[in-house]
Amino acid sequence: MANRNEKLRSHCPVNFALEAIGDRWSLLIIRDILLNGKQSFGALLESDEQIATNILSERLVRLVEMDIIWRQRDPHDGRKFVYDTTPKGDALLGVVLELGAWGAQYDPQTVAPQGTSAQYYADRTGTIEKARLSLVKRRGSAPGPIQV
Amino acid sequence: MANRNEKLRSHCPVNFALEAIGDRWSLLIIRDILLNGKQSFGALLESDEQIATNILSERLVRLVEMDIIWRQRDPHDGRKFVYDTTPKGDALLGVVLELGAWGAQYDPQTVAPQGTSAQYYADRTGTIEKARLSLVKRRGSAPGPIQV
DNA sequence: CGTTTCAGTTGCGTTATGCAAGTAACCACA
DNA sequence: TGTGGTTACTTGCATAACGCAACTGAAACG
């Protein structure tokens, strides 16, 4: 699991990244925020992978602590929080897309997730720049789901 | 952990990749084979992250089962095996480099791992193509460590 | 032929994950 | 204003994964 303050096994940059987000759930949460526009606990719960509430809760705390996402109260509903990626979280887009490209290539039963176009996974060439532009556009305008 | 034959949580390509290699060790092993030219059990054991023998053993079996790496007896030493990536494993290079780029950017204490040039992590632009060329060159010639 | 190297395996304690159930704060409506 | 539903959690407990240390069997070395 992504550890918090314990000493790292090494300072190889690949290892640093894996200790931060190299567990089974963190990158799925980041995928949902970056690509599927999910920004609340409830929305993140509804993904196909069926994350448990306690795990989602703990991961969100960790990701906030690591400054990969941040949260604020929903101004329109006092029960809810709004979660969104920080620039450090946005910088994981390349990782998510590379994983997606590999998965799409080697999973014989691959499907594009709901609300996400298969073209973002189909080929790697140009994909990262393309999605990054979507993200810039999103950041530049009012916050909300991006339709990729 | 990367599971084997149990049913996947979903067929989202990102999830498929995470279920295959989304644990704390698999991508470090792939990093060592792809970037650091390590090809034996003993060499893989010596990395800074100090993987345990039982975990390395199990991960190598899994990676072979998934056709991400393959192994053969060392023709020069009957005790040893030679491990190397398959094309499916080579295709994870982009994932490794994206993780490395992110880690190098956000780990204040980052270091380039032994035998690996920092330039491969320092910036993402062109990095993937560059390393891929190294890999193609390596595959084209006799198998052996690549010095990146 | 004894010693060392190599690639593991085994045993066992610790940590992480996953499921089900429960809770406090808040909102929507009568 | 109170009642029921929603949201974002927390708790308890079982199971699975991880990690350390010690051990093994086959091959190489001297």
Side-chain angles (χ1 to χ4, degrees):
Chain A
M1 244 289 306
N3 66 12
R4 291 189 228 211
N5 298 319
E6 307 94 51
K7 42 196 157 307
L8 293 170
R9 295 172 300 185
S10 84
H11 280 284
C12 165
V14 176
N15 182 58
F16 177 85
L18 288 174
E19 297 212 32
I21 44 80
D23 68 283
R24 278 212 285 310
W25 293 110
S26 297
L27 280 172
L28 292 178
I29 295 168
I30 292 161
R31 171 204 65 182
D32 280 342
I33 298 176
L34 283 179
L35 300 183
N36 297 325
K38 300 189 175 181
Q39 298 193 313
S40 66
F41 192 92
L44 290 166
L45 258 191
E46 285 167 10
S47 294
D48 288 344
E49 292 86 10
Q50 295 279 59
I51 189 170
T53 56
N54 55 345
I55 312 247
L56 176 56
S57 180
E58 195 211 1
R59 287 305 182 284
L60 290 171
V61 169
R62 282 179 188 269
L63 290 171
V64 168
E65 281 179 358
M66 291 189 289
D67 192 35
I68 289 169
I69 65 174
W70 58 281
R71 74 170 204 175
Q72 61 177 349
R73 290 210 163 271
D74 188 327
H76 306 301
D77 187 336
R79 295 167 301 179
K80 295 171 97 167
F81 290 96
V82 177
Y83 295 94
D84 205 353
T85 46
T86 62
K88 187 172 173 182
D90 292 342
L92 286 167
L93 180 62
V95 173
V96 172
L97 293 176
E98 286 289 333
L99 284 168
W102 187 85
Q105 188 172 2
Y106 290 104
D107 182 5
Q109 297 180 257
T110 192
V111 293
Q114 289 186 345
T116 303
S117 160
Q119 77 183 23
Y120 275 81
Y121 300 111
D123 73 322
R124 191 149 47 202
T125 312
T127 296
I128 294 170
E129 255 333 291
K130 211 160 162 192
R132 187 169 294 136
L133 287 175
S134 295
L135 208 62
V136 166
K137 203 167 114 192
R138 174 185 169 204
R139 299 281 168 231
S141 60
I146 65 173
Q147 287 304 326
V148 289
Chain B
M1 241 290 306
N3 67 10
R4 292 190 227 210
N5 297 321
E6 306 94 51
K7 41 197 159 305
L8 293 170
R9 295 172 300 184
S10 84
H11 281 284
C12 165
V14 176
N15 183 58
F16 176 85
L18 288 174
E19 297 212 35
I21 44 80
D23 67 285
R24 279 212 284 309
W25 293 109
S26 296
L27 280 171
L28 292 178
I29 294 168
I30 291 161
R31 172 204 65 182
D32 280 341
I33 297 176
L34 283 180
L35 300 182
N36 296 326
K38 300 188 176 182
Q39 299 195 313
S40 66
F41 191 93
L44 291 165
L45 259 189
E46 285 167 11
S47 294
D48 289 343
E49 291 87 10
Q50 296 280 60
I51 189 170
T53 55
N54 55 343
I55 312 245
L56 176 56
S57 180
E58 195 210 2
R59 287 305 182 284
L60 289 171
V61 169
R62 281 178 189 270
L63 291 171
V64 168
E65 282 178 359
M66 291 189 288
D67 192 34
I68 289 170
I69 64 174
W70 57 281
R71 75 169 203 176
Q72 60 177 347
R73 290 213 162 268
D74 188 327
H76 305 302
D77 186 338
R79 294 167 302 178
K80 295 172 97 169
F81 289 96
V82 177
Y83 295 94
D84 205 352
T85 45
T86 63
K88 187 173 175 182
D90 292 342
L92 286 167
L93 180 62
V95 173
V96 173
L97 293 175
E98 286 290 332
L99 284 168
W102 187 85
Q105 188 173 1
Y106 290 104
D107 181 5
Q109 298 180 258
T110 191
V111 293
Q114 291 186 345
T116 304
S117 160
Q119 78 183 21
Y120 275 79
Y121 300 110
D123 73 323
R124 190 150 47 201
T125 312
T127 294
I128 294 171
E129 256 332 292
K130 210 160 158 191
R132 188 169 294 135
L133 287 175
S134 295
L135 208 61
V136 166
K137 203 168 111 190
R138 174 187 170 203
R139 299 281 168 230
S141 60
I146 66 173
Q147 287 304 324
V148 289

